[in-house]
Amino acid sequence: MFRGKKPKKARSRGPFRDAFHQLLKHRAAVVAGLYILLMIIFALFADTSIISLPFGKEVRPLIALQHYAKTSFRNRDLPPGTPGYPLGTDYLGRDIWSRTVYGTRVSLSVAFVAATVSLLIGLTYGVISGFARPAIDNIMMRFVDFLYGFPLLIFIILLQAYFKAVSRAGATGFMGLLTQLDRAMGGLFFVFLALGMLNWIGMARLARGQTLSVKQKEYIEAARALGASNLRIVFRHILPNIIGPCIVAETLAIPGYILTEAFLSFIGLGVTPPTPSWGLMISDTYQAIRVYPWECLIPGAALTLTTLAFNFLGDGLRDALDPRLRGT
Amino acid sequence: MIKYIIRRILWFIPVLLAIITATFLLAHSIPGGPFDFAGEKQLPESVRQNLMRKYRLDKPVYVQLGLWIWDVLRFDFGPSYYSRGQTVNDILRRTFPISAQLGVLSLILALLIGIPMGTIAAVKQNTLVDYSATFIAILGVSIPNMVLGPLLIWVFSVHLGWFPAARWGVDYTQLYLGIFPPMTHKFWAHAFLPMVTLGTAYSASIARLTRASLLQVIREDYMRTAMAKGLHGFRVIVVHGLRNSLIPVATVLGPMFAGIVTGSLIVERIFGIPGMGRYFVDSITNRDYPVIMGVTLVYSVLLVAGNLLVDLSYAWLDPRIRYD
């Protein structure tokens, strides 16, 4: 139990303990980073013929042995370990290993695109709001506060339903172009759009707060005295000073994006089948968990490991970029 | 304080109006209507137009919106287009209590596990206890509902057979005052797995927040003063420390209400619970506008009220915060 002198002790750990601590903290981030790197490689080279193995007469890609949509009605519901199907097959006889590997493409692209879009919009909005006159700042932040009270998820669901229906009804003009793009991306484009349009709010708040605190610093005043333009102050002095916390916050938000995509696919409003999203794979198979547990648990494990990796990476990044927060 | 509450409640009106309008417009602009098909058959145009007229769908959207709001002010959410012979009021009366029970139980579970876990981790900082608690918490945050639910069913229902795998333990006719469930064995048996599925992620994030903020509070001067006064260590932590460190926890409880909604959409589906979430997605696919609007309104009122409660809890947690 805490006895008053602990606070000092927290700073001065023994070297062995400290090493153990660092190992647990940062090894986790390192392992997480390696795992994400491996996923990126899987996603990039899933179907490439550069890395391939001869399989009898045909040559198959090494990473994803089968195409994700290749069904085989004779080989339905095979358990893991069946020759040719390392992780078994699902209810349509599709190779679960290959589908899980292709699923990294969906999750990773959602992670990176949604994070980039939300960072760009949020940073721009937040910096403008923090840098502008108080009157403008007030209006912009009122708008953000207003959106903050909105049930965003309901809007994401409705937006997705709208996009899907428009795409099915066949649209023309600009919307038609978007639906074609969406079809080419297996239904991912609209997921990006819905996620990006609604997830910049937290980032805007953070960026504004950071800008406000940096704006008061002496070096900004010095730059102004030297005759620097507003644009130069923003890009040379403010942005480099606030980008660190923003990137950390964005990394920690990535699991949320991945889970939202999985959620949308789970309720049937995400990617278009047969694009293999982990959420879709789980929703297709969870009802058969009594009989074929692997069909649902394997994509589930992939999803969990990925969110876990991004969480560890985010924590590690935060520690690395802000030593004051170390250990909290 | 009362003035503040009244002002906040008045502020609900424009916020709810904006949410309703946006939802209404978005829902109605989705191509396709509720009466395009009867089962698989396409309805004849004349029948479709009669139905549209019956349900006022031939009027301009803003007129429909106005009429809908007028009805809602009299607590009439209208008929469901898809579930024939049921009004949205019937559906809400039947499904809302179940969703509410699930949500409240998981929130209570999250607080009951999260706060003690975070406190112990902070008090025993940099020990094995702390590391294990932190690791479990990060694992709990990372495992999604849609994975944890099937996993729990697989382990506890299929293999061990301890809990039923699906459905909810009580019917809406057995509830006290229309919302409180009877505390029967059957109720808990059905509620346990969904409650854990939904509560785990929240208890984990509450534990992380409690730990982080208690670690800062522990270094404060008044903590040392309390110790110097000779107070019991447990008392210092719980009375002086914990109460001051709960503000960040209260802050995330607001968005958590919203998260419980998301989670319940999934958990209700996985466990076959006849709650509100299941109706919501189906109602969008069926263009069942009154159900979409009814469920959205209930969720939004909860969300807005939840945010108000969070703001009020600040004043209780930290008496320095005043609202005038």
Side-chain angles (χ1 to χ4, degrees):
Chain A
M1 185 50 65
F2 163 63
R3 281 288 174 210
K5 58 178 200 279
K6 265 268 161 61
K8 235 183 227 164
K9 213 178 157 201
R11 278 286 147 211
S12 58
R13 304 178 210 108
F16 180 71
R17 257 189 163 176
D18 197 25
F20 182 62
H21 183 88
Q22 293 290 338
L23 180 117
L24 207 96
K25 280 260 150 174
H26 290 270
R27 278 292 152 84
V30 169
V31 171
L34 286 177
Y35 175 78
I36 292 169
L37 208 65
L38 188 74
M39 276 192 24
I40 294 175
I41 293 172
F42 272 23
L44 287 177
F45 299 111
D47 52 1
T48 180
S49 55
I50 301 170
I51 313 169
S52 51
L53 267 188
F55 253 87
K57 273 179 223 152
E58 54 178 335
V59 174
R60 287 186 194 164
L62 176 61
I63 294 175
L65 300 167
Q66 313 257 346
H67 187 259
Y68 60 81
K70 191 186 158 219
T71 57
S72 153
F73 286 93
R74 256 184 308 164
N75 297 327
R76 275 178 304 175
D77 301 317
L78 293 177
T82 314
Y85 300 102
L87 293 181
T89 57
D90 68 0
Y91 66 111
L92 292 176
R94 297 175 293 195
D95 181 28
I96 293 179
W97 162 251
S98 308
R99 282 179 69 75
T100 309
V101 166
Y102 276 99
T104 55
R105 286 189 174 177
V106 172
S107 282
L108 282 183
S109 43
V110 165
F112 290 119
V113 174
T116 314
V117 170
S118 126
L119 193 67
L120 281 181
I121 302 181
L123 258 186
T124 315
Y125 194 93
V127 170
I128 290 176
S129 175
F131 198 71
R133 271 174 289 149
I136 297 173
D137 177 34
N138 212 352
I139 294 171
M140 288 178 84
M141 277 300 121
R142 269 292 138 82
F143 180 61
V144 164
D145 287 344
F146 194 68
L147 283 185
Y148 201 73
F150 262 55
L152 287 186
L153 192 89
I154 288 178
F155 280 88
I156 292 189
I157 293 176
L158 280 171
L159 267 180
Q160 277 300 108
Y162 174 76
F163 289 144
K164 294 244 161 225
V166 168
S167 154
R168 220 174 302 126
T172 50
F174 181 60
M175 208 55 209
L177 197 73
L178 292 189
T179 52
Q180 274 183 358
L181 192 61
D182 185 61
R183 213 163 295 152
M185 290 168 78
L188 264 181
F189 180 73
F190 286 139
V191 177
F192 291 156
L193 209 61
L195 278 175
M197 275 162 76
L198 297 170
N199 273 314
W200 53 273
I201 296 167
M203 183 50 58
R205 281 188 153 181
L206 179 67
R208 170 184 174 265
Q210 296 282 328
T211 309
L212 280 181
S213 73
V214 168
K215 206 169 87 170
Q216 311 294 333
K217 295 272 162 66
E218 287 84 356
Y219 55 81
I220 302 287
E221 210 171 317
R224 205 178 284 287
L226 286 169
S229 66
N230 278 344
L231 221 59
R232 189 180 160 85
I233 290 179
V234 167
F235 280 101
R236 291 300 297 256
H237 301 285
I238 291 185
L239 267 183
N241 279 302
I242 69 168
I243 197 88
C246 292
I247 287 179
V248 170
E250 202 54 65
T251 314
L252 287 169
I254 284 179
Y257 303 143
I258 295 180
L259 290 185
T260 310
E261 182 278 319
F263 165 76
L264 286 173
S265 297
F266 185 87
I267 63 174
L269 289 172
V271 300
T272 325
T275 308
S277 150
W278 294 330
L280 188 65
M281 292 170 75
I282 294 172
S283 104
D284 277 346
T285 53
Y286 73 90
Q287 279 163 328
I289 192 153
R290 274 169 199 281
V291 204
Y292 311 120
W294 64 90
E295 292 181 10
C296 162
L297 294 179
I298 288 168
L303 186 60
T304 310
L305 282 177
T306 308
T307 46
L308 197 64
F310 276 105
N311 273 328
F312 274 127
L313 189 71
D315 273 7
L317 267 182
R318 186 183 55 185
D319 284 1
L321 288 173
D322 192 348
R324 276 169 304 168
L325 287 174
R326 199 159 282 166
T328 62
Chain B
M1 187 71 172
I2 289 174
K3 243 187 183 167
Y4 172 79
I5 296 177
I6 291 173
R7 206 169 59 221
R8 281 289 301 263
I9 288 176
L10 286 180
W11 178 239
F12 281 8
I13 297 169
V15 171
L16 286 179
L17 265 181
I19 295 175
I20 286 168
T21 312
T23 316
F24 203 87
L25 295 181
L26 196 52
H28 279 259
S29 59
I30 299 174
F35 305 114
D36 293 357
F37 294 95
E40 288 299 308
K41 269 187 309 190
Q42 193 141 16
L43 279 180
E45 186 57 23
S46 56
V47 176
R48 199 183 70 86
Q49 277 185 353
N50 276 333
L51 278 167
M52 295 289 269
R53 195 170 315 130
K54 176 171 183 238
Y55 292 113
R56 312 190 296 225
L57 290 168
D58 53 338
K59 295 201 166 62
V61 176
Y62 59 91
V63 177
Q64 292 179 40
L65 177 63
L67 288 170
W68 185 80
I69 292 175
W70 176 237
D71 284 345
V72 166
L73 288 177
R74 294 175 296 154
F75 291 101
D76 174 11
F77 288 91
S80 163
Y81 300 156
Y82 188 75
S83 318
R84 301 266 154 75
Q86 293 187 45
T87 63
V88 178
N89 292 47
D90 293 335
I91 293 177
L92 289 180
R93 195 176 306 131
R94 207 176 59 232
T95 58
F96 173 72
I98 294 178
S99 292
Q101 287 159 18
L102 175 62
V104 170
L105 282 177
S106 357
L107 210 57
I108 293 176
L109 182 81
L111 290 170
L112 279 184
I113 295 180
I115 293 179
M117 195 162 130
T119 311
I120 292 171
V123 170
K124 308 242 177 222
Q125 197 198 1
N126 298 323
T127 62
L128 198 63
V129 179
D130 179 22
Y131 297 144
S132 341
T134 313
F135 186 76
I136 292 172
I138 215 168
L139 203 66
V141 171
S142 303
I143 187 160
N145 292 325
M146 68 179 79
V147 179
L148 189 58
L151 189 68
L152 289 178
I153 291 180
W154 188 53
V155 174
F156 291 102
S157 304
V158 178
H159 279 275
L160 299 172
W162 290 355
F163 298 102
R167 309 181 67 85
W168 197 242
V170 291
D171 194 52
Y172 74 107
T173 50
Q174 303 164 316
L175 302 176
Y176 303 119
L177 300 174
I179 187 136
F180 297 106
M183 293 294 152
T184 56
H185 175 74
K186 192 177 171 218
F187 172 75
W188 287 110
H190 279 89
F192 187 74
L193 290 185
M195 191 170 103
V196 172
T197 308
L198 198 49
T200 298
Y202 302 116
S203 63
S205 58
I206 288 175
R208 291 176 80 186
L209 272 170
T210 309
R211 177 180 176 275
S213 107
L214 190 57
L215 277 179
Q216 283 176 354
V217 170
I218 278 180
R219 290 160 177 53
E220 296 280 344
D221 290 339
Y222 57 77
M223 295 295 281
R224 200 176 316 133
T225 312
M227 280 296 172
K229 276 200 302 194
L231 291 181
H232 189 261
F234 182 77
R235 200 183 145 77
V236 174
I237 291 291
V238 172
V239 177
H240 297 250
L242 201 54
R243 183 161 162 184
N244 283 302
S245 61
L246 283 186
I247 283 192
V249 178
T251 310
V252 295
L253 281 183
M256 247 176 221
F257 274 123
I260 292 242
V261 173
T262 333
S264 67
L265 289 182
I266 295 181
V267 170
E268 284 174 9
R269 209 164 256 250
I270 289 179
F271 287 93
I273 298 167
M276 225 167 38
R278 281 168 65 85
Y279 271 92
F280 184 61
V281 180
D282 292 344
S283 68
I284 293 178
T285 331
N286 299 325
R287 311 284 184 274
D288 200 344
Y289 302 129
V291 180
I292 301 180
M293 295 309 298
V295 176
T296 308
L297 186 65
V298 171
Y299 279 149
S300 319
V301 169
L302 284 180
L303 201 67
V304 178
N307 282 335
L308 175 63
L309 282 180
V310 165
D311 284 353
L312 293 181
S313 74
Y314 289 159
W316 177 71
L317 287 169
D318 187 348
R320 283 171 300 184
I321 298 176
R322 275 176 210 287
Y323 299 111
D324 335 278

